[in-house]
Structure formats: structure tokens, C-alpha cells
Short mmCIF file of all heavy atoms in Angstrom, two decimals:
data_model
loop_
_atom_site.label_atom_id
_atom_site.label_comp_id
_atom_site.label_asym_id
_atom_site.label_seq_id
_atom_site.Cartn_x
_atom_site.Cartn_y
_atom_site.Cartn_z
N MET A 1 0.84 -1.17 0.00
CA MET A 1 0.00 0.00 0.00
C MET A 1 0.89 1.24 0.00
O MET A 1 1.75 1.41 0.84
CB MET A 1 -0.88 -0.01 1.25
CG MET A 1 -1.83 1.11 1.31
SD MET A 1 -2.96 0.82 2.68
CE MET A 1 -3.00 2.40 3.37
N LYS A 2 0.66 2.12 -0.92
CA LYS A 2 1.47 3.33 -1.03
C LYS A 2 0.69 4.52 -0.49
O LYS A 2 -0.49 4.70 -0.77
CB LYS A 2 1.82 3.56 -2.50
CG LYS A 2 2.81 4.66 -2.70
CD LYS A 2 3.30 4.70 -4.14
CE LYS A 2 4.32 5.81 -4.25
NZ LYS A 2 4.89 5.90 -5.57
N ILE A 3 1.35 5.34 0.30
CA ILE A 3 0.73 6.52 0.89
C ILE A 3 0.97 7.71 -0.03
O ILE A 3 2.10 7.96 -0.46
CB ILE A 3 1.31 6.79 2.29
CG1 ILE A 3 0.99 5.62 3.21
CG2 ILE A 3 0.75 8.08 2.85
CD1 ILE A 3 1.64 5.73 4.56
N ASP A 4 -0.09 8.41 -0.30
CA ASP A 4 -0.01 9.59 -1.16
C ASP A 4 0.67 10.73 -0.39
O ASP A 4 0.16 11.21 0.61
CB ASP A 4 -1.42 10.01 -1.58
CG ASP A 4 -1.41 11.15 -2.59
OD1 ASP A 4 -0.31 11.56 -3.03
OD2 ASP A 4 -2.51 11.61 -2.95
N MET A 5 1.84 11.13 -0.85
CA MET A 5 2.60 12.19 -0.18
C MET A 5 2.63 13.47 -1.02
O MET A 5 3.51 14.31 -0.82
CB MET A 5 4.02 11.71 0.11
CG MET A 5 4.10 10.57 1.11
SD MET A 5 3.41 11.01 2.71
CE MET A 5 4.64 12.15 3.30
N SER A 6 1.67 13.60 -1.90
CA SER A 6 1.63 14.82 -2.71
C SER A 6 1.28 16.01 -1.81
O SER A 6 0.77 15.86 -0.71
CB SER A 6 0.58 14.69 -3.82
OG SER A 6 -0.71 14.65 -3.26
N ARG A 7 1.59 17.18 -2.29
CA ARG A 7 1.35 18.41 -1.51
C ARG A 7 -0.11 18.54 -1.11
O ARG A 7 -0.43 18.87 0.04
CB ARG A 7 1.78 19.60 -2.34
CG ARG A 7 1.56 20.92 -1.64
CD ARG A 7 2.03 22.04 -2.51
NE ARG A 7 3.49 21.96 -2.58
CZ ARG A 7 4.29 23.01 -2.45
NH1 ARG A 7 3.77 24.19 -2.29
NH2 ARG A 7 5.58 22.86 -2.51
N ASP A 8 -1.01 18.26 -2.04
CA ASP A 8 -2.45 18.39 -1.74
C ASP A 8 -2.90 17.37 -0.71
O ASP A 8 -3.68 17.69 0.19
CB ASP A 8 -3.26 18.23 -3.02
CG ASP A 8 -3.09 19.39 -3.97
OD1 ASP A 8 -2.71 20.49 -3.50
OD2 ASP A 8 -3.32 19.21 -5.18
N ALA A 9 -2.43 16.15 -0.82
CA ALA A 9 -2.83 15.09 0.12
C ALA A 9 -2.33 15.38 1.53
O ALA A 9 -3.05 15.21 2.51
CB ALA A 9 -2.32 13.74 -0.37
N VAL A 10 -1.09 15.84 1.64
CA VAL A 10 -0.53 16.17 2.95
C VAL A 10 -1.27 17.35 3.56
O VAL A 10 -1.60 17.36 4.75
CB VAL A 10 0.98 16.44 2.84
CG1 VAL A 10 1.54 16.98 4.14
CG2 VAL A 10 1.72 15.17 2.43
N SER A 11 -1.56 18.35 2.75
CA SER A 11 -2.31 19.52 3.24
C SER A 11 -3.69 19.12 3.74
O SER A 11 -4.15 19.60 4.79
CB SER A 11 -2.45 20.56 2.13
OG SER A 11 -1.20 21.08 1.79
N LEU A 12 -4.34 18.23 3.02
CA LEU A 12 -5.66 17.75 3.44
C LEU A 12 -5.57 17.02 4.78
O LEU A 12 -6.38 17.26 5.67
CB LEU A 12 -6.25 16.82 2.37
CG LEU A 12 -7.58 16.18 2.72
CD1 LEU A 12 -8.66 17.24 2.87
CD2 LEU A 12 -7.98 15.17 1.65
N ARG A 13 -4.59 16.16 4.94
CA ARG A 13 -4.44 15.43 6.21
C ARG A 13 -4.15 16.38 7.36
O ARG A 13 -4.68 16.22 8.46
CB ARG A 13 -3.36 14.37 6.09
CG ARG A 13 -3.77 13.18 5.24
CD ARG A 13 -2.85 12.00 5.41
NE ARG A 13 -1.49 12.23 4.95
CZ ARG A 13 -1.07 12.03 3.71
NH1 ARG A 13 -1.91 11.59 2.78
NH2 ARG A 13 0.18 12.25 3.38
N LEU A 14 -3.32 17.38 7.14
CA LEU A 14 -3.02 18.35 8.19
C LEU A 14 -4.26 19.16 8.56
O LEU A 14 -4.52 19.42 9.74
CB LEU A 14 -1.91 19.29 7.74
CG LEU A 14 -0.51 18.70 7.69
CD1 LEU A 14 0.45 19.68 7.05
CD2 LEU A 14 -0.04 18.30 9.08
N ARG A 15 -5.04 19.55 7.57
CA ARG A 15 -6.27 20.30 7.81
C ARG A 15 -7.26 19.45 8.61
O ARG A 15 -7.89 19.92 9.57
CB ARG A 15 -6.87 20.74 6.48
CG ARG A 15 -7.66 21.99 6.55
CD ARG A 15 -8.05 22.59 5.20
NE ARG A 15 -7.99 21.74 4.03
CZ ARG A 15 -7.04 21.80 3.10
NH1 ARG A 15 -6.06 22.65 3.22
NH2 ARG A 15 -7.06 21.00 2.06
N GLN A 16 -7.39 18.17 8.25
CA GLN A 16 -8.31 17.28 8.96
C GLN A 16 -7.85 17.06 10.40
O GLN A 16 -8.67 17.02 11.32
CB GLN A 16 -8.42 15.95 8.23
CG GLN A 16 -9.20 16.03 6.95
CD GLN A 16 -9.18 14.73 6.16
OE1 GLN A 16 -8.26 13.92 6.29
NE2 GLN A 16 -10.18 14.53 5.33
N ALA A 17 -6.57 16.91 10.62
CA ALA A 17 -6.04 16.73 11.97
C ALA A 17 -6.31 17.97 12.82
O ALA A 17 -6.66 17.86 14.01
CB ALA A 17 -4.55 16.43 11.92
N ALA A 18 -6.17 19.14 12.24
CA ALA A 18 -6.44 20.38 12.97
C ALA A 18 -7.92 20.49 13.34
O ALA A 18 -8.27 20.89 14.46
CB ALA A 18 -6.01 21.59 12.14
N GLN A 19 -8.80 20.11 12.42
CA GLN A 19 -10.23 20.14 12.69
C GLN A 19 -10.59 19.15 13.78
O GLN A 19 -11.40 19.46 14.67
CB GLN A 19 -11.03 19.83 11.43
CG GLN A 19 -11.01 20.92 10.40
CD GLN A 19 -11.69 20.50 9.09
OE1 GLN A 19 -11.90 19.33 8.83
NE2 GLN A 19 -12.00 21.49 8.26
N LEU A 20 -10.02 17.96 13.75
CA LEU A 20 -10.28 16.95 14.77
C LEU A 20 -9.81 17.43 16.13
O LEU A 20 -10.49 17.26 17.14
CB LEU A 20 -9.60 15.63 14.39
CG LEU A 20 -9.79 14.48 15.35
CD1 LEU A 20 -11.26 14.14 15.51
CD2 LEU A 20 -9.01 13.26 14.87
N ARG A 21 -8.64 18.06 16.19
CA ARG A 21 -8.11 18.59 17.44
C ARG A 21 -9.05 19.64 18.01
O ARG A 21 -9.38 19.61 19.20
CB ARG A 21 -6.73 19.20 17.20
CG ARG A 21 -6.11 19.80 18.43
CD ARG A 21 -4.74 20.43 18.10
NE ARG A 21 -4.26 21.20 19.20
CZ ARG A 21 -4.60 22.45 19.47
NH1 ARG A 21 -5.41 23.09 18.66
NH2 ARG A 21 -4.12 23.08 20.52
N LYS A 22 -9.53 20.56 17.19
CA LYS A 22 -10.44 21.60 17.66
C LYS A 22 -11.75 21.00 18.17
O LYS A 22 -12.29 21.43 19.20
CB LYS A 22 -10.75 22.59 16.53
CG LYS A 22 -9.62 23.53 16.23
CD LYS A 22 -10.00 24.47 15.10
CE LYS A 22 -8.84 25.35 14.70
NZ LYS A 22 -9.17 26.24 13.59
N THR A 23 -12.25 20.00 17.48
CA THR A 23 -13.48 19.33 17.89
C THR A 23 -13.31 18.63 19.23
O THR A 23 -14.17 18.74 20.11
CB THR A 23 -13.93 18.31 16.83
OG1 THR A 23 -14.11 19.00 15.58
CG2 THR A 23 -15.22 17.63 17.21
N CYS A 24 -12.20 17.93 19.40
CA CYS A 24 -11.94 17.23 20.65
C CYS A 24 -11.81 18.21 21.82
O CYS A 24 -12.34 17.96 22.90
CB CYS A 24 -10.67 16.38 20.55
SG CYS A 24 -10.86 14.95 19.49
N LEU A 25 -11.13 19.31 21.60
CA LEU A 25 -10.99 20.31 22.66
C LEU A 25 -12.33 20.96 22.99
O LEU A 25 -12.62 21.26 24.15
CB LEU A 25 -9.95 21.36 22.27
CG LEU A 25 -8.51 20.85 22.26
CD1 LEU A 25 -7.59 21.93 21.72
CD2 LEU A 25 -8.08 20.41 23.63
N ALA A 26 -13.16 21.18 21.99
CA ALA A 26 -14.49 21.74 22.24
C ALA A 26 -15.34 20.77 23.06
O ALA A 26 -16.05 21.17 23.97
CB ALA A 26 -15.18 22.07 20.92
N LEU A 27 -15.25 19.49 22.74
CA LEU A 27 -15.98 18.48 23.51
C LEU A 27 -15.48 18.42 24.94
O LEU A 27 -16.25 18.23 25.88
CB LEU A 27 -15.84 17.11 22.86
CG LEU A 27 -16.72 16.85 21.65
CD1 LEU A 27 -16.34 15.53 20.99
CD2 LEU A 27 -18.18 16.83 22.06
N ALA A 28 -14.18 18.57 25.12
CA ALA A 28 -13.60 18.53 26.46
C ALA A 28 -14.08 19.69 27.32
O ALA A 28 -14.14 19.58 28.54
CB ALA A 28 -12.08 18.53 26.37
N ARG A 29 -14.43 20.82 26.69
CA ARG A 29 -14.90 22.00 27.43
C ARG A 29 -16.42 22.00 27.60
O ARG A 29 -16.96 22.91 28.25
CB ARG A 29 -14.48 23.27 26.71
CG ARG A 29 -13.00 23.54 26.79
CD ARG A 29 -12.67 24.91 26.22
NE ARG A 29 -13.03 25.04 24.82
CZ ARG A 29 -12.20 24.84 23.81
NH1 ARG A 29 -10.97 24.48 24.03
NH2 ARG A 29 -12.61 24.99 22.57
N SER A 30 -17.10 21.03 27.06
CA SER A 30 -18.57 21.05 27.06
C SER A 30 -19.14 20.69 28.44
O SER A 30 -18.46 20.18 29.32
CB SER A 30 -19.10 20.06 26.02
OG SER A 30 -18.86 18.74 26.45
N LYS A 31 -20.42 20.98 28.59
CA LYS A 31 -21.12 20.65 29.84
C LYS A 31 -21.18 19.14 30.05
O LYS A 31 -21.16 18.67 31.19
CB LYS A 31 -22.53 21.23 29.81
CG LYS A 31 -22.57 22.73 29.94
CD LYS A 31 -23.99 23.24 29.95
CE LYS A 31 -24.00 24.75 30.02
NZ LYS A 31 -25.36 25.27 30.02
N ALA A 32 -21.26 18.39 28.97
CA ALA A 32 -21.31 16.93 29.09
C ALA A 32 -20.03 16.39 29.70
O ALA A 32 -20.07 15.48 30.55
CB ALA A 32 -21.55 16.30 27.73
N SER A 33 -18.89 16.94 29.30
CA SER A 33 -17.64 16.45 29.87
C SER A 33 -17.53 16.81 31.34
O SER A 33 -16.98 16.04 32.14
CB SER A 33 -16.44 16.97 29.09
OG SER A 33 -16.24 18.34 29.35
N LEU A 34 -18.04 17.97 31.72
CA LEU A 34 -18.04 18.35 33.13
C LEU A 34 -18.88 17.37 33.94
O LEU A 34 -18.47 16.95 35.03
CB LEU A 34 -18.58 19.78 33.30
CG LEU A 34 -18.67 20.28 34.73
CD1 LEU A 34 -17.29 20.30 35.37
CD2 LEU A 34 -19.31 21.65 34.76
N ALA A 35 -20.02 16.98 33.41
CA ALA A 35 -20.88 16.02 34.10
C ALA A 35 -20.17 14.67 34.25
O ALA A 35 -20.26 14.03 35.30
CB ALA A 35 -22.19 15.85 33.33
N ILE A 36 -19.47 14.25 33.22
CA ILE A 36 -18.73 12.98 33.29
C ILE A 36 -17.63 13.07 34.34
O ILE A 36 -17.42 12.15 35.13
CB ILE A 36 -18.15 12.61 31.92
CG1 ILE A 36 -19.28 12.24 30.96
CG2 ILE A 36 -17.14 11.48 32.03
CD1 ILE A 36 -18.85 12.08 29.52
N ARG A 37 -16.91 14.20 34.34
CA ARG A 37 -15.84 14.37 35.34
C ARG A 37 -16.38 14.34 36.76
O ARG A 37 -15.76 13.80 37.67
CB ARG A 37 -15.09 15.68 35.09
CG ARG A 37 -14.15 15.61 33.93
CD ARG A 37 -13.16 16.75 33.93
NE ARG A 37 -13.75 18.07 34.02
CZ ARG A 37 -13.97 18.87 32.99
NH1 ARG A 37 -13.64 18.48 31.77
NH2 ARG A 37 -14.50 20.05 33.16
N MET A 38 -17.55 14.94 36.98
CA MET A 38 -18.14 14.95 38.31
C MET A 38 -18.67 13.57 38.70
O MET A 38 -18.48 13.12 39.83
CB MET A 38 -19.29 15.98 38.37
CG MET A 38 -18.84 17.40 38.08
SD MET A 38 -17.67 18.02 39.27
CE MET A 38 -18.75 18.44 40.60
N ARG A 39 -19.30 12.90 37.76
CA ARG A 39 -19.92 11.61 38.04
C ARG A 39 -18.90 10.49 38.20
O ARG A 39 -19.09 9.59 39.01
CB ARG A 39 -20.88 11.27 36.91
CG ARG A 39 -21.86 10.18 37.26
CD ARG A 39 -22.95 9.99 36.21
NE ARG A 39 -23.17 11.16 35.37
CZ ARG A 39 -23.15 11.14 34.03
NH1 ARG A 39 -22.93 10.02 33.40
NH2 ARG A 39 -23.36 12.23 33.34
N HIS A 40 -17.79 10.56 37.45
CA HIS A 40 -16.81 9.48 37.45
C HIS A 40 -15.43 9.97 37.86
O HIS A 40 -14.41 9.60 37.29
CB HIS A 40 -16.72 8.85 36.06
CG HIS A 40 -18.03 8.31 35.57
ND1 HIS A 40 -18.61 7.19 36.09
CD2 HIS A 40 -18.88 8.77 34.62
CE1 HIS A 40 -19.76 6.96 35.47
NE2 HIS A 40 -19.95 7.92 34.58
N SER A 41 -15.38 10.80 38.88
CA SER A 41 -14.12 11.42 39.29
C SER A 41 -13.09 10.40 39.79
O SER A 41 -11.89 10.66 39.75
CB SER A 41 -14.36 12.48 40.35
OG SER A 41 -14.96 11.89 41.49
N GLU A 42 -13.52 9.24 40.23
CA GLU A 42 -12.59 8.22 40.73
C GLU A 42 -11.99 7.37 39.60
O GLU A 42 -11.02 6.65 39.80
CB GLU A 42 -13.27 7.31 41.75
CG GLU A 42 -14.30 6.35 41.19
CD GLU A 42 -15.65 6.99 40.83
OE1 GLU A 42 -15.90 8.13 41.22
OE2 GLU A 42 -16.42 6.31 40.13
N ASN A 43 -12.55 7.49 38.40
CA ASN A 43 -12.08 6.72 37.25
C ASN A 43 -10.70 7.23 36.81
O ASN A 43 -10.51 8.42 36.57
CB ASN A 43 -13.09 6.84 36.12
CG ASN A 43 -12.76 6.00 34.92
OD1 ASN A 43 -11.66 6.07 34.40
ND2 ASN A 43 -13.72 5.21 34.50
N LYS A 44 -9.73 6.33 36.70
CA LYS A 44 -8.36 6.70 36.36
C LYS A 44 -8.27 7.35 34.97
O LYS A 44 -7.52 8.30 34.77
CB LYS A 44 -7.42 5.49 36.41
CG LYS A 44 -7.28 4.89 37.78
CD LYS A 44 -6.53 5.82 38.69
CE LYS A 44 -6.33 5.18 40.04
NZ LYS A 44 -5.82 6.08 41.03
N SER A 45 -9.02 6.86 34.02
CA SER A 45 -9.00 7.43 32.68
C SER A 45 -9.53 8.87 32.69
O SER A 45 -8.98 9.75 32.03
CB SER A 45 -9.84 6.56 31.74
OG SER A 45 -9.85 7.10 30.45
N VAL A 46 -10.57 9.11 33.43
CA VAL A 46 -11.15 10.45 33.55
C VAL A 46 -10.14 11.37 34.25
O VAL A 46 -9.96 12.52 33.84
CB VAL A 46 -12.49 10.40 34.32
CG1 VAL A 46 -13.00 11.81 34.64
CG2 VAL A 46 -13.53 9.64 33.52
N GLN A 47 -9.47 10.86 35.26
CA GLN A 47 -8.45 11.66 35.97
C GLN A 47 -7.30 12.04 35.04
O GLN A 47 -6.85 13.19 35.05
CB GLN A 47 -7.91 10.88 37.17
CG GLN A 47 -8.91 10.72 38.29
CD GLN A 47 -8.40 9.80 39.38
OE1 GLN A 47 -7.31 9.27 39.31
NE2 GLN A 47 -9.22 9.61 40.40
N ARG A 48 -6.82 11.08 34.25
CA ARG A 48 -5.71 11.36 33.32
C ARG A 48 -6.12 12.40 32.27
O ARG A 48 -5.36 13.31 31.97
CB ARG A 48 -5.26 10.08 32.63
CG ARG A 48 -4.37 9.22 33.46
CD ARG A 48 -3.71 8.13 32.62
NE ARG A 48 -4.63 7.36 31.81
CZ ARG A 48 -5.24 6.25 32.19
NH1 ARG A 48 -5.02 5.74 33.37
NH2 ARG A 48 -6.05 5.62 31.38
N THR A 49 -7.33 12.27 31.76
CA THR A 49 -7.81 13.22 30.76
C THR A 49 -7.93 14.62 31.36
O THR A 49 -7.51 15.60 30.75
CB THR A 49 -9.17 12.76 30.19
OG1 THR A 49 -9.01 11.45 29.64
CG2 THR A 49 -9.66 13.70 29.12
N SER A 50 -8.50 14.71 32.56
CA SER A 50 -8.64 16.00 33.20
C SER A 50 -7.28 16.63 33.48
O SER A 50 -7.08 17.83 33.29
CB SER A 50 -9.40 15.85 34.52
OG SER A 50 -10.72 15.48 34.28
N LEU A 51 -6.33 15.82 33.91
CA LEU A 51 -4.99 16.31 34.17
C LEU A 51 -4.34 16.81 32.89
O LEU A 51 -3.71 17.88 32.87
CB LEU A 51 -4.14 15.22 34.82
CG LEU A 51 -2.71 15.59 35.17
CD1 LEU A 51 -2.71 16.69 36.23
CD2 LEU A 51 -1.96 14.38 35.66
N ALA A 52 -4.50 16.07 31.81
CA ALA A 52 -3.90 16.45 30.54
C ALA A 52 -4.50 17.75 30.01
O ALA A 52 -3.82 18.54 29.36
CB ALA A 52 -4.08 15.33 29.50
N LEU A 53 -5.77 17.98 30.31
CA LEU A 53 -6.43 19.20 29.85
C LEU A 53 -6.24 20.36 30.82
O LEU A 53 -6.67 21.47 30.54
CB LEU A 53 -7.94 18.94 29.67
CG LEU A 53 -8.30 18.01 28.52
CD1 LEU A 53 -9.77 17.65 28.59
CD2 LEU A 53 -7.95 18.63 27.19
N GLY A 54 -5.59 20.10 31.94
CA GLY A 54 -5.35 21.15 32.92
C GLY A 54 -6.58 21.53 33.71
O GLY A 54 -6.77 22.67 34.09
N ARG A 55 -7.43 20.56 33.97
CA ARG A 55 -8.67 20.82 34.72
C ARG A 55 -8.54 20.34 36.14
O ARG A 55 -7.99 19.42 36.49
CB ARG A 55 -9.85 20.11 34.08
CG ARG A 55 -9.90 20.29 32.59
CD ARG A 55 -11.02 21.17 32.20
NE ARG A 55 -10.99 21.32 30.75
CZ ARG A 55 -11.16 22.48 30.19
NH1 ARG A 55 -11.37 23.52 30.89
NH2 ARG A 55 -11.12 22.59 28.90
#
């Protein structure tokens, strides 16, 4: 399998990665994530995520 490394293909992948990052950060700041953090504060995965986000 060959990976397309053309300028357009790389630019598209970078743009998609940036959009995904923004979406994930927006979800992390949402009210739903706050509810999850409050409800499952003892969960190690939730603790690691909160720590990584600086919450």
C-alpha cells in the first residue's frame, strides 16, 4: 500500500487533523464532559484526561 505524499494530500491530512483537534478540545470543554468528570471522578481514565487538559 502506497501513501499519497503529494502536496495536496498532505495539506488535506493536516487540515483534517487540525479540525479533529479543535473538535476534541471543544468536547472537552462542554457541559457533558463536566458532568462525566463529576460523576466518574474516581475513574483513572477520567483523571488522566482531566490532568492532561489542565482541569
Side-chain angles (χ1 to χ4, degrees):
M1 183 171 136
K2 188 171 182 177
I3 297 174
D4 186 4
M5 295 300 289
S6 68
R7 179 179 290 226
D8 291 338
V10 171
S11 294
L12 176 64
R13 288 194 295 272
L14 287 172
R15 209 169 18 255
Q16 288 174 335
Q19 289 174 343
L20 180 59
R21 179 181 170 277
K22 286 180 184 178
T23 302
C24 289
L25 290 174
L27 282 172
R29 289 188 299 265
S30 70
K31 288 182 182 180
S33 72
L34 178 61
I36 290 170
R37 284 196 307 261
M38 299 298 281
R39 197 171 337 126
H40 302 289
S41 61
E42 71 284 347
N43 185 307
K44 296 291 183 190
S45 179
V46 171
Q47 291 173 0
R48 281 193 309 270
T49 302
S50 293
L51 181 64
L53 292 170
R55 313 251 179 224

